[in-house]
């Protein structure tokens, strides 16, 4: 099943501002709310909402949006979101409306690692790292800058302005969850007022806007294993976004992009390269030098080598991360037609042609077969 474009899902332009994206999300969230979609429509509305929610989560995060703009769905990892997004009871509607109403009413998010009833794992982050083919073959220690969250120094993580303190949420009595009726069922949902923390911050800390955490940058050392291939991902456990209410942090996924190489094309563990050979060498045979990732190698070209012939250099490919042996290097022969000939060279070639004609089809490996095919085609 192909995934719909996130912008299309939200019905916004690719150039939409954060505000426009948020507005579109709210509108759609209201549309698919269970209160308005009872009975037969409930299941479908829930599915549609999940799609909308995922699109919003991706496009409202500038890093994920950038990754999505560049690589499409391959650039972002929507699963493992907060609460798993399963149905109404988990991180589905309840959490989304917590998001929306939280913004509208509480004036700041209640943060802090303690006291919450509803525990959410942090979102995973995705990072795209471009490396060269040589680096992919040999492996590399890379340093990347990623966002990290520290406890706010001003409020020491409480999210409350110094001198004030968080109060117990009156909506849920500090439980962090409320009972909601959905058709026949009574469902426990995250309290939309305090977002599950059980606490309200009357005066949010101005340094962190009540989040209790400050976003910074940190440098992460990443070991890229030798043989890694384009599109592979390395997981860095716990380096994603922080969890909520004491939940564990998400993971960071480093997605490897391998830059196009001037000479080699990779196919799994094998490498391919095009090697130009003069038509004289192709006709007479001879030794030619070919490049390998490790340096140079020589190939003996036999007499009468045709264009497109390939020579395999065993073990001169790449040893994949899960392979026991390196792949091979395939050199594809490209026979070159000489250009910018002098009068003398032209004369030599004409003489050569005359001489070849006298020999008839025997000088042309595809000659007789080709003549037969033409005869059949035109008859
Ligand atoms: Zn603070
Ligand atoms: Zn509450």
């Amino acid at each position: 099943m192909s995934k719909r474009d996130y912008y299309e899902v939200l019905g916004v332009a690719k150039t939409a501002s954060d505000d426009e994206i948020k507005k579109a999300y709210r509108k759609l969230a209201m549309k698919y709310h269970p209160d308005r979609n009872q009975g037969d429509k409930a299941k479908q509305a829930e599915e549609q909402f999940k799609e909308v929610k995922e699109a919003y989560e991706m496009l409202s995060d500038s890093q994920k949006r950038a990754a999505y703009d560049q690589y499409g769905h391959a650039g972002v990892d929507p699963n493992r979101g907060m609460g798993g997004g399963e149905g109404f009871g988990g991180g589905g509607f309840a959490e989304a409306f917590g998001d929306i109403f939280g913004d509208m009413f509480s004036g700041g998010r209640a943060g802090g690692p303690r006291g919450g009833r509803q525990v959410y794992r942090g979102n995973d982050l995705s990072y795209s790292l471009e490396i060269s083919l040589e680096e992919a073959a040999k492996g590399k220690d890379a340093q990347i800058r990623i966002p990290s969250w520290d406890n706010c120094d001003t409020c020491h993580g409480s999210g409350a302005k110094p001198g004030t303190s968080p109060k117990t949420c009156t909506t849920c009595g500090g439980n962090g969850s409320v009972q909601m009726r959905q058709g026949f069922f009574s469902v426990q949902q995250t309290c939309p007022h305090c977002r599950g923390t059980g606490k309200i911050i009357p005066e949010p800390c101005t340094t962190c806007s009540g989040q209790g955490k400050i976003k910074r940058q940190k440098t992460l050392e990443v070991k890229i294993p030798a043989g890694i291939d384009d599109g592979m991902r390395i997981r860095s456990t716990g380096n994603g976004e922080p969890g909520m209410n004491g939940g564990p942090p998400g993971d960071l996924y480093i997605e490897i992009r391998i830059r196009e190489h001037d000479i080699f094309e990779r196919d799994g563990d094998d490498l391919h390269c095009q090697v130009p050979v003069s038509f004289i060498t192709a006709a007479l045979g001879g030794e030619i030098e070919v490049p390998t990732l490790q340096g140079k190698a020589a190939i003996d070209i036999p007499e009468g080598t045709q264009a497109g012939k390939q020579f395999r250099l065993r073990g001169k490919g790449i040893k994949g991360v899960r392979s026991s042996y390196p792949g091979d290097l395939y050199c594809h022969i490209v026979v070159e037609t000489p250009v910018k000939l002098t009068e003398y060279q032209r004369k030599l070639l004409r003489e050569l042609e005359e001489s070849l004609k006298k020999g008839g089809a025997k000088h042309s490996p595809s000659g007789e077969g080709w003549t037969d095919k033409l005869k059949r085609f035109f008859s």
Side-chain angles (χ1 to χ4, degrees), residues 152-160 205-214:
C152 171
D153 290 335
T154 312
C155 62
H156 304 287
S158 78
C205 163
T206 49
T207 311
C208 62
S209 323
Q211 312 249 353
K213 287 184 164 61
I214 302 274

Side-chain angles (χ1 to χ4, degrees), residues 3 6 9-10 21 24-26 28-29 32 45-61 64 78-88 90-100 120-121 123 195:
K3 281 184 82 150
Y6 287 146
V9 170
L10 291 180
I21 286 173
Y25 173 55
R26 282 183 178 173
L28 290 166
Y32 297 130
E46 188 188 334
E47 286 306 315
Q48 282 169 311
F49 174 69
K50 273 190 204 163
E51 192 184 21
V52 166
K53 176 172 174 274
E54 181 184 317
Y56 173 69
E57 273 171 4
M58 292 302 152
L59 298 185
S60 60
D61 180 309
K64 286 177 190 166
N79 46 33
R80 297 165 183 274
M82 280 190 195
E86 273 304 315
F88 296 142
F93 279 102
E95 189 224 310
F97 285 97
D99 260 326
I100 294 171
Y120 295 114
R121 183 179 177 275
N123 278 324
R195 305 193 71 207

Side-chain angles (χ1 to χ4, degrees), residues 65-208:
R65 186 176 176 183
Y68 178 72
D69 286 346
Q70 201 170 356
Y71 303 114
H73 288 295
V76 288
D77 181 29
N79 46 33
R80 297 165 183 274
M82 280 190 195
E86 273 304 315
F88 296 142
F93 279 102
E95 189 224 310
F97 285 97
D99 260 326
I100 294 171
F101 296 126
D103 281 354
M104 289 199 282
F105 299 129
S106 76
R109 282 198 343 192
R114 284 177 309 276
R117 301 297 190 275
Q118 298 272 341
V119 167
Y120 295 114
R121 183 179 177 275
N123 278 324
D124 290 335
L125 291 178
S126 171
Y127 185 100
S128 177
L129 180 64
E130 201 184 68
I131 60 173
S132 69
L133 184 65
E134 286 88 341
E135 288 168 336
K138 281 190 210 126
K140 170 181 188 180
D141 287 323
Q143 292 193 329
I144 59 171
R145 301 277 290 162
I146 57 158
S148 76
W149 288 261
D150 289 337
N151 264 357
C152 171
D153 290 335
T154 312
C155 62
H156 304 287
S158 78
K161 203 172 186 171
T164 72
S165 55
K167 304 246 180 309
T168 302
C169 172
T170 49
T171 308
C172 61
N175 283 325
S177 57
V178 286
Q179 299 285 325
M180 295 259 211
R181 283 200 66 80
Q182 243 141 29
F184 294 110
F185 304 102
S186 179
V187 182
Q188 185 158 310
Q189 290 194 331
T190 306
C191 171
H193 197 192
C194 63
R195 305 193 71 207
T197 62
K199 291 196 166 71
I200 290 296
I201 299 174
E203 287 184 75
C205 163
T206 49
T207 311
C208 62

Side-chain angles (χ1 to χ4, degrees), residues 314-349:
R314 219 176 265 273
K316 296 288 184 193
I318 288 176
K319 188 163 172 287
V321 277
R322 284 184 280 273
S323 310
S324 325
Y325 304 101
D328 304 327
L329 168 64
Y330 291 88
C331 298
H332 301 260
I333 298 301
V334 181
V335 174
E336 278 198 319
T337 306
V339 294
K340 295 185 182 153
L341 299 178
T342 63
E343 240 349 279
Y344 176 62
Q345 289 161 338
R346 281 170 202 274
K347 186 169 154 275
L348 287 177
L349 285 183

